[in-house]
Amino acid sequence: MPSFDTVLEADFVEVKNAIDQVSREIGTRFDFKGTSAAIELKDKEITLFGDADFQLQQIDDVLRNKLAKRNVDVRFLDVGKVEKVGGDKVKQVVKVRNGIATEDGKKIQQVIKGSKLKVQAAIQGDAVRVTGAKRDDLQAAMALIRSELKDLPLSFNNFRD
């Protein structure tokens, strides 16, 4: 049976490179001199540090530009709330999404079931495997998933004939 996997995973090498570029830019930009502006990556969380909300917004803009230049979809970013750290410093945690959540997996299943295509979808951990008898049906399912779930940066891999 031909099949493919629908996954939600960012290219973490490119994310790390973008973070390094943002860190270098923070060190060289005049408006960040003498401030506590910083960015760091731990596991799958990016933490932005700054003196004010405005500074965090500037760092976020630079991060989004660097990610876009490196072909990493900014829809992977899950921005958290701004927190006070101490004194007048603030921080913001930005999570990098990895893996399809169960409710998103169920949405994908419902879209495929409602489409009347001759394919089946099964949730397997943090991916959704779609199987069908014909390659054309699978390609139609890919197009359908892309058009229905625009808010998720989904990709398709493990295509088997």
Side-chain angles (χ1 to χ4, degrees):
M1 286 285 272
S3 68
F4 68 87
D5 290 341
T6 305
V7 294
L8 181 81
E9 52 190 30
D11 186 0
F12 272 97
V13 173
E14 294 296 338
V15 171
K16 188 176 184 322
N17 289 339
I19 301 276
D20 290 342
Q21 284 184 335
V22 172
S23 182
R24 261 184 270 141
E25 186 168 329
I26 287 172
T28 58
R29 271 181 52 170
F30 178 75
D31 54 340
F32 290 135
K33 291 270 194 239
T35 64
S36 64
I39 187 170
E40 68 180 33
L41 174 69
K42 282 189 181 168
D43 295 327
K44 293 178 174 132
E45 288 186 349
I46 303 167
T47 309
L48 311 174
F49 298 98
D51 290 338
D53 293 348
F54 175 71
Q55 205 170 50
L56 288 181
Q57 187 61 42
Q58 284 183 319
I59 297 170
D60 186 50
D61 288 344
V62 173
L63 174 65
R64 288 176 187 272
N65 287 336
K66 298 295 182 189
L67 286 172
K69 282 183 185 175
R70 297 195 152 273
N71 293 328
V72 176
D73 200 328
V74 293
R75 293 179 293 177
F76 282 114
L77 302 180
D78 198 10
V79 181
K81 287 191 274 184
V82 176
E83 306 167 15
K84 291 220 179 257
V85 176
D88 58 347
K89 311 284 188 247
V90 289
K91 80 171 185 175
Q92 186 174 29
V93 177
V94 179
K95 291 186 172 129
V96 181
R97 285 196 227 166
N98 199 24
I100 297 175
T102 53
E103 57 268 4
D104 292 332
K106 288 179 183 176
K107 278 185 200 172
I108 292 170
Q109 275 186 320
Q110 294 301 320
V111 165
I112 288 176
K113 281 184 182 174
S115 70
K116 305 292 187 217
L117 289 172
K118 294 184 179 177
V119 294
Q120 294 83 34
I123 299 173
Q124 295 185 337
D126 56 356
V128 177
R129 175 155 294 163
V130 180
T131 57
K134 296 181 186 169
R135 175 184 246 178
D136 293 340
D137 290 341
L138 293 179
Q139 289 174 341
M142 283 183 194
L144 179 72
I145 291 169
R146 275 201 184 105
S147 67
E148 291 292 321
L149 300 167
K150 289 184 177 23
D151 58 331
L152 296 175
L154 296 171
S155 59
F156 307 103
N157 63 14
N158 206 11
F159 194 91
R160 303 251 167 109
D161 233 350

